[in-house]
Amino acid sequence: MSKLQVKIWDVQHGSAAYIKTPNGKHIVVDLGTGDVSGDTSLPYETFSPLKHLAKNYQVQQIDELIITHPHTDHIDDIGNLDLFYINTLTAPRHIPKEDITKGNRSSDAPKIEKYLNLLTRFNGAITEYNNPNLPSNNGGLEVDIYGPINCGTYNLNNQSLVVFFTYAGSTICIPGDNERAAWKELLEKDSFKNLLRKTDVFVASHHGRESGFYEEVFDYCRPYITIISDGPQGDTCVAHKYRAKTVGWKIHSRSSKSSNERKVLTTRKDGSIQIECYESGGQSYLVIGVE
């Protein structure tokens, strides 16, 4: 059976997702890392999604690497990219180097340098043959990517790419860390609003913080489930606002072997989140599970 498989990794206050297309290609969105020791009495252990993909999933090639924006919590795992052959890179390329540098801590300079080198390395034209966003190359998966271009580049959050994955009647939206100004610009596009109308799974912008919540988005978007990729809850978490805008969906738990209707999932409480979209017997299915 052909299916779209999506994994939203638990990388604490970061962002990382893995997509396996219906025809077996591999897409990575963002490069966050996180602590998965689960026990504060144990030594800190950093989880690398890229190492996990190479070791446990036997992935050798990333057909498309998408980096929504160059904040270090979205590129922490960049040092492990050498484990893979990378076909194409999609990232916001209009941001001046000085703004990228100023927007991150000085201690993260080596990671920023690797990111800038990556942009230079993958600067060639993408042909129809190797274009990872064409449904014909992805087993029918539609990939649509939007990005604000008129917001001030000093705020890296507002340069985030927004990625939509559509397959078997379901759409998943991963919007980086966009804030009010970026959302306002993106909502000027009818095609963007149409994709929001189709969105069933919405990953909250900026880790569920108040700054990433924009009320007008939900004039067009009424997802079945909202996912927040976050670490320890802060004062600015607005999960309650997302809950009020979300319909609800049956979520399967591997550990308890039970199913319950939920509106908001958080990696902080639920761990990594798995999504499958497929068709069977003339019907479309959206299956969401937690650890």
Side-chain angles (χ1 to χ4, degrees):
M1 177 190 300
S2 298
K3 62 174 66 174
L4 170 67
Q5 296 173 280
V6 177
K7 186 105 168 182
I8 307 296
W9 300 107
D10 177 10
V11 288
Q12 299 291 304
H13 182 82
S15 175
Y18 164 65
I19 294 88
K20 185 175 181 180
T21 72
N23 60 341
K25 292 191 175 182
H26 309 287
I27 301 173
V28 168
V29 181
D30 283 338
L31 302 170
T33 60
D35 173 25
V36 293
S37 63
D39 186 343
T40 55
S41 66
L42 297 174
Y44 183 88
E45 178 188 355
T46 298
F47 171 66
S48 161
L50 292 181
K51 286 184 178 179
H52 190 82
L53 284 176
K55 180 180 179 181
N56 298 91
Y57 287 36
Q58 287 77 53
V59 175
Q60 297 178 329
Q61 172 171 312
I62 296 175
D63 295 284
E64 181 173 23
L65 170 61
I66 302 171
I67 297 178
T68 59
H69 67 295
H71 265 148
T72 49
D73 58 329
H74 291 246
I75 62 168
D76 267 332
D77 213 9
I78 198 167
N80 291 312
L81 282 176
D82 291 340
L83 295 170
F84 308 90
Y85 171 80
I86 302 172
N87 181 33
T88 63
L89 168 69
T90 302
R93 294 179 177 271
H94 63 284
I95 310 172
K97 177 180 178 180
E98 54 268 29
D99 285 338
I100 296 175
T101 302
K102 289 178 182 178
N104 289 281
R105 297 169 299 189
S106 58
S107 59
D108 289 322
K111 294 175 183 176
I112 298 305
E113 192 63 31
K114 287 183 179 179
Y115 172 77
L116 294 172
N117 289 338
L118 200 66
L119 292 181
T120 302
R121 177 182 163 196
F122 291 92
N123 201 26
I126 297 176
T127 67
E128 185 173 341
Y129 173 78
N130 71 351
N131 187 339
N133 296 332
L134 289 179
S136 57
N137 291 338
N138 279 337
L141 170 66
E142 298 176 27
V143 182
D144 294 282
I145 302 176
Y146 291 79
I149 57 174
N150 297 320
C151 295
T153 54
Y154 60 88
N155 183 343
L156 297 182
N157 289 331
N158 278 336
Q159 310 308 311
S160 296
L161 300 180
V162 181
V163 190
F164 295 91
F165 297 100
T166 301
Y167 185 73
S170 293
T171 298
I172 300 163
C173 176
I174 301 178
D177 284 353
N178 281 310
E179 300 176 354
R180 178 184 177 88
W183 283 121
K184 186 175 181 179
E185 177 185 334
L186 290 166
L187 286 173
E188 294 175 358
K189 298 184 171 91
D190 288 338
S191 58
F192 184 82
K193 290 186 287 190
N194 287 336
L195 282 164
L196 283 176
R197 290 185 180 99
K198 294 166 56 179
T199 295
D200 303 300
V201 179
F202 185 82
V203 178
S205 181
H206 207 187
H207 316 284
R209 289 178 171 180
E210 177 78 49
S211 58
F213 182 87
Y214 187 51
E215 184 86 26
E216 283 78 356
V217 168
F218 299 97
D219 290 341
Y220 309 95
C221 182
R222 193 70 172 175
Y224 289 121
I225 200 76
T226 297
I227 297 173
I228 298 176
S229 178
D230 62 350
Q233 185 172 353
D235 293 338
T236 62
C237 178
V238 290
H240 63 288
K241 289 189 177 182
Y242 285 106
R243 194 171 290 110
K245 303 294 184 180
T246 305
V247 176
W249 198 251
K250 183 181 288 187
I251 305 301
H252 306 278
S253 171
R254 287 185 179 181
S255 57
S256 65
K257 297 181 180 179
S258 62
S259 299
N260 295 290
E261 184 168 300
R262 302 273 300 277
K263 292 188 175 182
V264 173
L265 301 175
T266 69
T267 57
R268 170 173 43 88
K269 290 184 177 181
D270 300 297
S272 296
I273 297 158
Q274 301 83 39
I275 305 163
E276 291 186 348
C277 306
Y278 60 92
E279 292 180 346
S280 179
Q283 290 188 316
S284 299
Y285 293 88
L286 171 65
V287 180
I288 304 174
V290 297
E291 302 294 345

